[in-house]
Amino acid sequence: MTSLRSIDAATGEPFGEPFENHGIGEVAAACLAAEGAFDAYRAIDPARRADFLERIGEEIVALGDDLIVTAMRESGLPRMRLEGERGRTVGQLRLFADVVRQGGWAGLRIDPALPDRTPPRPDLRLRMIPLGPVAVFGASNFPLAFSTAGGDTASALAAGCPVVVKGHPAHPATGAMVARAIRAAIAATGMPEGTFNHLVGSGNDLGAALVQDPRIAAVGFTGSRGGGLALVALAQARPVPIPVYAEMASINPVIMLPGALAARGAEMGTAFIGSLTLGAGQFCTNPGLALAIEGAGLDAFLAAAGEALSGHAPAPMLTGGIHAAYEKGVAALAGHPKVEAVAQGTVDEAFARGQAALFSTDAASFIADATLGHEVFGAASLLVRCRDEAELLDVLAHLEGQLTVTLQLDAGDTPLAARLIPLLERKTGRILANGWPTGVEVTHAMVHGGPYPATSDARTTSVGSLAIDRFLRPVSYQNLPADLLPPALRDDGAAGWPRLVDGKPAGGAR
Amino acid sequence: MTSLRSIDAATGEPFGEPFENHGIGEVAAACLAAEGAFDAYRAIDPARRADFLERIGEEIVALGDDLIVTAMRESGLPRMRLEGERGRTVGQLRLFADVVRQGGWAGLRIDPALPDRTPPRPDLRLRMIPLGPVAVFGASNFPLAFSTAGGDTASALAAGCPVVVKGHPAHPATGAMVARAIRAAIAATGMPEGTFNHLVGSGNDLGAALVQDPRIAAVGFTGSRGGGLALVALAQARPVPIPVYAEMASINPVIMLPGALAARGAEMGTAFIGSLTLGAGQFCTNPGLALAIEGAGLDAFLAAAGEALSGHAPAPMLTGGIHAAYEKGVAALAGHPKVEAVAQGTVDEAFARGQAALFSTDAASFIADATLGHEVFGAASLLVRCRDEAELLDVLAHLEGQLTVTLQLDAGDTPLAARLIPLLERKTGRILANGWPTGVEVTHAMVHGGPYPATSDARTTSVGSLAIDRFLRPVSYQNLPADLLPPALRDDGAAGWPRLVDGKPAGGAR
């Protein structure tokens, strides 16, 4: 029996009690439990399911400061960030509770029978049903909001799917506390026990066995490109393939248009470094690429960015492994013959401090070497200098899919921006104007997704209320007697839930 | 330069002028044209896009009786069926035109800025955009409604995606006529020329090149399991993987519950054979499997089914290849040690006549040999005799995913049916009561889809208005100036289109 320890992110030293590494047997048992809970859980009145989601949030809050202190130590993230993240986690659960109550997710549609038509039209009724047990792989960089009780878990539970979480080995103690909170919510609200299951382990075998288990119906993942693609390959090779929602790699280009650069290049330089270094650069939406046309505005941007960066002291990164990968990525940029260093943050010889860095290259070199477009997870970014609009467009056309693209623009930039937007829509899930990509609102109109390799499925989002749709599929009922129809599809069913009747809206939200 | 001829389905003889087989060069040119048309086509006012869809229908009708006669000769299907199918094709285009006009497909969502919140919430607006050029592989068994201008083409065009059709080699003349109608509609309504592209060819290389073309963003396919899985594998192996919507294999179980069998076993036997032999059994929803508990009701069913079948004269099948595959499948059943013949239709030595056949086996044998659950495309079916409810449930639990499952039930069967439905929901996209699976309404609440291997993506349907969602993905716009927002997302945009504002409905349909 192997075990797993918490590691203090600031020192690299283990602390606390060991956690038993789960094996293949525990995977099978967890998936069996989830499968066993599925029909009961999905049949529970949605209002009660919503109460359960809210109760999870309450139980997480009830863990008190212990949770924050534990997560701080395991992740190296500061108190304010983790308190904010806890609020975000609880808010996310409340959002999905509201969504469940409003019923738009059920996608109810009724086409009444037309007995006098030739041939007669049958009665047809459609609703969305949950896919089945969902495997969730938490992210290291959001130990609360995108881990054990994070967005994937919340949206899967909201959809009516039991969840099997593979806890992230970078924060086992935090994960165990949150799992306890979820179990307490299950007990308090009378949900089936197998609705939530928690696996602990540090190797890849555990995750592979989870994705291959025949009872698993879908996978949510947030992490690296390599990790996500490995899970996708496993899921596709199953006797019955299943969908994988992997949120993977994005360098979140920031395009600084000429008018904006001329008007406020220096200001943008400072703000850019703020976004770049936030949370030690460990965000999916970290701005790893900046694009601009050469000129005085860009010079002012670079001067201000360099000044802001050179005084930046590094925070501990999430794990030693992440730090090592960051250093390797930075070294590759630093040693690239076509890349030059613009500025670097200060050095700290303490454990796992990643020195922030800004590099630059020219458009032709960027286009010529696809590796320059690969994500370096951490506070490093690459500025691509373009000679003119044509070169800027050429760079954009060569970009891979992204979670976000940001436009910095002033009124005079509107014609150029308008030309860019159709291209940007095809490259990303979210287009921002005059902001910075870090900071992802958990709301209805958010898309945290995007074309490959940003995610493995661009048709969805992993943040925001639309994420519930990932775990649903439609079923149609033809001429079923009323007493065999799902209650929400009966003539008198689902008071207040929106329905399409003959394609026309009949009350409620969606 | 190779060429392709029309084949008279009733005789196997070629007729008419040869069609040039397209090659790799034509694939690339078609995809380039589709890509070139994409931004212009998707930017066109949706009302005009709807007019275009309706115009395609009008142009198809304007082809007159030539189209029907040509399709009859190439497919062997009778006039009434093809006239009905033409009506269905035109109705399908009108349905999607209505859907496009109503705007629910755009999924508009607005979360207004909250400038006074700490931190301030940005303005977020979401819409669905089309994926890009779509490759469509038409079906042999619906030369009109699921081929060149069929459901995949109609829903992709409705979504704003240009289409590249690989015409089915079993009906090249029909396909060429319909392609001409679509081109006429493009010219008449001023759509970009590359909005529709038509490839002709009999080999698999053409289709492979189409799916691998980097400009193709999604694939719609209706056909065999082997064909569908080959396209899925190609699509997943691309540098940028794309979704494949393959509608493949289903045996559409009909479950005859004891009460119904006792009350009307003989009547059901006759009706079952009617559904089995309709269109020479060449429907995706053909009832290839029947399940019942042994008893006097089942005996009456079998007697009536045997009588109805024994007088059934075969119609020509769609192609010699389909007929050969059918004969092979029937021979395998006939030679299976655990399978016995119940009855057969009459023999016709003319070209490609598939003798209809009903076989039976017991539950244990069915469960023991998965090949007995594989589709035999044509008018052959297998009855599985169960000793009791437990055995019936066991057989159902072992079934693969299906397009449809049908329950024949009387009032007394309700408790058993209620127990079955949660299981059936997980096995299929559509549950029917007291009907037969053949006959698929093109409407809002239809699901023509289902778990693997019925389709490659159970989250969708290939028939009905929900099919448009297959070709859309969400994009979020954060703090974009009004003049850069898509018109439908501006404060004064999209009169009458439904929107969610802060998660609450604000007018319109969905």
Side-chain angles (χ1 to χ4, degrees), chain B residues 251-256 272-273 276 286-292 298 301-302 309 326 329-330 332-334 336 338-343 356-363 365-367 369-376 378-386 395 399:
Chain B
I251 54 173
N252 305 293
V254 174
I255 308 167
M256 299 178 289
F272 177 81
I273 297 301
L276 176 66
N286 189 257
L289 189 72
L291 302 167
L298 179 56
F301 170 89
L302 285 171
L309 191 57
Y326 173 75
V330 168
L333 284 170
H336 194 288
K338 299 290 189 183
V339 170
E340 58 192 55
V342 172
L358 177 60
F359 297 95
S360 84
T361 190
D362 62 286
S365 299
F366 182 80
I367 290 170
D369 185 352
T371 66
L372 291 177
H374 287 184
E375 184 179 17
V376 176
S381 192
L382 177 64
L383 171 79
V384 178
R385 287 176 273 103
C386 303
V395 170
L399 283 181

Side-chain angles (χ1 to χ4, degrees), chain A residues 111 425 430 473 477-478, chain B residues 425 430 443 473 477-478:
Chain A
D111 296 327
E425 286 175 329
R430 180 163 57 116
R473 69 175 182 86
Y477 305 83
Q478 181 170 324
Chain B
E425 287 175 330
R430 180 162 57 116
T443 176
R473 69 174 181 86
Y477 305 83
Q478 180 170 323

Side-chain angles (χ1 to χ4, degrees), chain A residues 35 38-39 42 102 109-111 117 119-122 124-129 131-133 215 236 239-241 243 245 407 409 414 417-418 421-434 436 439 441 443-447 450-452 457-461 465-466 470 472-481 483-484 486 499-500 502-505 508-510, chain B residues 35 38-39 42 102 109-111 117 119-122 124-129 131-133 215 236 239-241 243 245 407 409 414 417-418 421-434 436 439 441 443-447 450-452 457-461 465-466 470 472-481 483-484 486 498 500 502-505 508-510:
Chain A
E35 169 65 29
F38 178 46
D39 278 335
R42 72 186 179 107
Q102 289 189 18
R109 294 173 168 221
I110 299 181
D111 296 327
R117 199 193 64 172
R121 186 174 85 175
L124 280 161
R125 299 175 188 233
L126 180 152
R127 68 162 175 167
M128 305 300 287
I129 70 164
L131 293 179
R215 282 139 310 210
Q236 290 173 344
V240 175
Y245 302 104
L407 288 168
L409 64 125
T414 299
I421 282 176
L423 174 60
L424 301 184
E425 286 175 329
R426 299 187 66 182
K427 294 287 183 183
T428 189
R430 180 163 57 116
I431 300 173
L432 299 83
N434 294 331
W436 304 98
E441 290 292 332
T443 177
H444 301 284
M446 173 53 66
V447 176
Y452 181 94
D457 191 334
R459 295 163 293 175
T460 65
T461 173
S465 61
L466 200 60
R470 296 179 297 170
L472 298 166
R473 69 175 182 86
V475 173
S476 181
Y477 305 83
Q478 181 170 324
N479 281 346
L480 246 65
D483 51 3
L484 287 173
R499 313 206 265 199
L500 278 190
D502 260 336
K504 303 287 180 301
R510 175 81 181 195
Chain B
E35 168 64 29
F38 179 45
D39 278 334
R42 72 185 178 107
Q102 289 188 21
R109 295 173 168 220
I110 299 181
D111 296 326
R117 199 192 64 173
R121 187 175 84 175
L124 281 161
R125 299 175 187 234
L126 180 153
R127 68 161 176 167
M128 305 300 287
I129 69 165
L131 293 180
R215 281 138 312 208
Q236 290 173 343
V240 175
Y245 303 105
L407 287 169
L409 64 125
T414 299
I421 283 177
L423 174 60
L424 301 185
E425 287 175 330
R426 300 186 64 182
K427 295 286 184 185
T428 190
R430 180 162 57 116
I431 300 173
L432 300 83
N434 294 332
W436 304 98
E441 290 291 334
T443 176
H444 302 283
M446 173 53 66
V447 176
Y452 181 93
D457 191 335
R459 295 163 294 176
T460 65
T461 174
S465 61
L466 201 60
R470 297 179 295 169
L472 297 167
R473 69 174 181 86
V475 174
S476 180
Y477 305 83
Q478 180 170 323
N479 281 344
L480 247 66
D483 52 4
L484 287 173
L500 279 190
D502 258 337
K504 303 287 178 303
R510 172 80 187 190

Side-chain angles (χ1 to χ4, degrees), chain A residues 237-270:
Chain A
R238 288 166 48 118
V240 175
I242 55 173
V244 174
Y245 302 104
E247 193 261 86
M248 302 184 292
S250 178
I251 53 173
N252 304 294
V254 174
I255 308 167
M256 299 178 287
L257 297 185
L261 264 185
R264 49 195 169 87
E267 182 194 326
M268 278 158 51
T270 309

Side-chain angles (χ1 to χ4, degrees), chain B residues 123-200:
Chain B
D123 179 280
L124 281 161
R125 299 175 187 234
L126 180 153
R127 68 161 176 167
M128 305 300 287
I129 69 165
L131 293 180
V134 171
V136 171
F137 291 77
S140 60
N141 61 338
F142 279 91
L144 301 176
F146 252 78
S147 189
T148 315
D152 285 340
T153 297
S155 53
L157 291 176
C161 298
V163 166
V164 182
V165 166
K166 181 189 168 294
H168 200 288
H171 48 259
T174 305
M177 292 177 81
V178 173
R180 207 168 72 217
I182 300 175
R183 282 194 214 98
I186 285 175
T189 58
M191 297 294 131
E193 233 180 275
T195 302
F196 176 78
N197 309 273
H198 189 231
L199 295 169
V200 176

